[in-house]
Amino acid sequence: MSISSSLNASVAGLRVNATRLATISDNIANSATFGYKRSDVDFSTQVLRQRENAYAAGGVSVSVFRDVEAQGSLINTGGATDLAISGRGLLPVTDETGTTTLASQRPLSLVPTGSFLPDENGLLRTSSGLFLLGWEVDAAGNVLNQTRDNASGLVPVNVSPNQFVASRTTEITMGINLPADATNAGSTGDPFTVPVEYFDNLGRSETLTVTFTPNIPGTGSSNQWSATVEDSANLAGGVIASFDVEFDATATATSGSILNVTNVAGGVYDGTTGAFSLNVAGGPMTLNIGAPGDNAGLTQLAGPFSPNAISKDGSQIGNLTAIEIDDNGFVEAIYDSGFRRTLYQIPVADVPNLNGLQAQNNQSYAISQTSGDLYFWDSGTGTVGTVTGFALMESTTDVASELTDLIATQRAYSSNATVVQTVDEMLQETSNLGR
């Protein structure tokens, strides 16, 4: 009978409003929790098949979901490894068991933000026990084992093996002006020496000494020099490479630049790139002396001897002083020697239905059937936002709105309770008719 359906509908109303009250309580309790995404409810009416001249109340049902798509405000912090996503997307993390298991068995969770600090093993983790995952990179900064549709290529980010680092010098650029008058007839023929510090593969400081000796003609100017290279790390001593260089003295736009390089010994000269390749005690090295017609390397102009543009890569052994994560998601180690080294790349995870993710403890989420397939993007590309360091995401809870909803929920619950009470009184009156 319709009076019974009224009772059932009101009981359903009490139940769904109690559920809504629970979500409001959760939202208010986590209003200061970083990365918290508010819970919400969706009420749906239940319609029963009706008979003519009668109506049966179907009641109401409720579904609960996390509004994972909602973006919380970002606040600046003093921690370089405090991370948040500015825009759509989540960070990949795992639990403690995932740090020792195979990649195929590693639990994967996703978080919108996190304050990650190195633990006793150097692994970046939150205080709640979530470990940051990333792709490893090689010495050149290229990503290794990159798989974008699953987490098999991700590994826990570990900074401890990089406490000390030494980077070998592989390239020296030599921007030097040799005085044009030194190759004139009657000049002294004194050599010009350029010592250049470099670092071997163990971070030790060595010296590469390049000596330029002018060739003195009987008359006029030769515009020619003989160059020798010595390496302090060469225990045998002596010259390890040499070459002759002639400069262009014509009245053209290339005047003063290299005309040609000849008599190369102990190395190989590439006239296209201007690179002179040789081997020092620590391995192969390249001296960029300039290509013919190029004024960027060695020049011979009517000025003083001037080694004013000498640069090199590599660094001496350095102690790790800081870890930073840039907007591209690259984890960089910074050393007291001034050297920076890229260690990992943190991707940004996305699924078609963020609100379909399964909520877990510690503001983390897991893939579910309703979320869709996982895909990892580079930071700031595709559909996802940017990895932001020195920042945390605030809770998406608006306390004022939640309190307003609390009042509405209380009124709705009270109204349904009144209906139950009324139905009870009506049923009592009906039972009294039989007396």
Side-chain angles (χ1 to χ4, degrees):
M1 58 185 296
S2 59
I3 193 170
S4 298
S5 68
S6 299
L7 179 62
N8 293 334
S10 298
V11 171
L14 292 174
R15 182 173 60 252
V16 299
N17 280 285
T19 301
R20 187 183 190 189
L21 180 63
T23 63
I24 294 173
S25 300
D26 219 6
N27 293 338
I28 293 177
N30 286 279
S31 59
T33 302
F34 289 117
Y36 177 78
K37 301 299 182 77
R38 68 182 296 271
S39 298
D40 206 350
V41 296
D42 186 17
F43 291 167
S44 300
T45 182
Q46 302 292 306
V47 178
L48 299 179
R49 186 174 182 178
Q50 307 297 327
R51 295 180 300 167
E52 187 177 357
N53 299 324
Y55 183 85
V60 63
S61 64
V62 64
S63 58
V64 183
F65 65 94
R66 294 274 183 180
D67 191 6
V68 184
E69 285 189 284
Q71 299 296 312
S73 301
L74 301 188
I75 61 169
N76 292 327
T77 68
T81 51
D82 289 346
L83 300 180
I85 302 297
S86 178
R88 182 184 176 93
L90 299 164
L91 298 168
V93 295
T94 189
D95 58 21
E96 188 169 4
T97 62
T99 63
T100 56
T101 58
L102 297 175
S104 58
Q105 302 172 352
R106 180 178 296 126
L108 175 68
S109 298
L110 305 172
V111 295
T113 190
S115 182
F116 299 95
L117 292 172
D119 66 3
E120 67 276 9
N121 298 314
L123 299 172
L124 290 186
R125 54 162 289 177
T126 66
S127 58
S128 59
L130 297 178
F131 294 79
L132 185 64
L133 297 176
W135 290 317
E136 289 183 290
V137 302
D138 60 18
N142 300 313
V143 176
L144 305 174
N145 301 322
Q146 185 185 68
T147 53
R148 295 189 177 273
D149 57 352
N150 60 72
S152 62
L154 295 173
V155 298
V157 175
N158 191 343
V159 299
S160 63
N162 303 281
Q163 188 67 37
F164 300 96
V165 69
S167 177
R168 184 174 70 86
T169 300
T170 60
E171 184 177 9
I172 297 177
T173 299
M174 308 197 73
I176 302 173
N177 180 65
L178 301 174
D181 294 342
T183 62
N184 293 341
S187 296
T188 62
D190 293 336
F192 297 88
T193 301
V194 182
V196 181
E197 181 188 36
Y198 76 92
F199 305 102
D200 66 11
N201 56 327
L202 298 180
R204 291 176 298 206
S205 174
E206 302 289 353
T207 302
L208 201 70
T209 303
V210 184
T211 302
F212 296 93
T213 304
N215 297 336
I216 308 301
T219 58
S221 298
S222 68
N223 301 307
Q224 296 177 353
W225 298 75
S226 295
T228 59
V229 181
E230 297 178 77
D231 179 19
S232 64
N234 182 21
L235 298 179
V239 175
I240 63 170
S242 63
F243 58 89
D244 292 340
V245 56
E246 181 179 3
F247 292 92
D248 187 355
T250 61
T252 62
T254 60
S255 181
S257 64
I258 294 176
L259 183 63
N260 57 66
V261 175
T262 58
N263 299 326
V264 176
V268 177
Y269 175 72
D270 187 339
T272 302
T273 63
F276 178 68
S277 302
L278 70 161
N279 286 310
V280 297
M285 182 181 292
T286 299
L287 299 182
N288 290 321
I289 62 175
D294 183 7
N295 290 316
L298 299 179
T299 59
Q300 180 192 263
L301 299 172
F305 172 68
S306 179
N308 58 356
I310 296 178
S311 62
K312 61 181 180 294
D313 61 2
S315 70
Q316 62 186 359
I317 186 170
N319 186 35
L320 180 66
T321 58
I323 295 290
E324 292 186 2
I325 302 175
D326 65 16
D327 291 344
N328 295 315
F330 287 105
V331 181
E332 290 190 332
I334 304 173
Y335 297 88
D336 55 10
S337 61
F339 181 68
R340 301 175 71 98
R341 181 182 180 185
T342 301
L343 307 178
Y344 299 88
Q345 183 184 11
I346 309 302
V348 180
D350 190 25
V351 293
N353 179 21
L354 286 172
N355 290 343
L357 292 170
Q358 180 180 353
Q360 299 177 317
N361 291 334
N362 304 317
Q363 299 79 252
S364 65
Y365 302 91
I367 304 299
S368 70
Q369 289 184 337
T370 57
S371 67
D373 294 333
L374 176 69
Y375 192 84
F376 290 107
W377 295 89
D378 290 342
S379 172
T381 64
T383 61
V384 301
T386 303
V387 175
T388 304
F390 294 95
L392 289 173
M393 180 182 292
E394 290 188 306
S395 170
T396 58
T397 298
D398 182 353
V399 176
S401 297
E402 299 297 334
L403 292 177
T404 303
D405 291 342
L406 181 62
I407 295 173
T409 301
Q410 182 184 14
R411 295 296 186 190
Y413 191 92
S414 177
S415 298
N416 279 280
T418 301
V419 172
V420 172
Q421 183 179 5
T422 302
V423 170
D424 178 57
E425 294 174 354
M426 293 176 67
L427 289 175
Q428 184 63 40
E429 290 295 329
T430 302
S431 63
N432 290 336
L433 293 176
R435 298 179 182 177

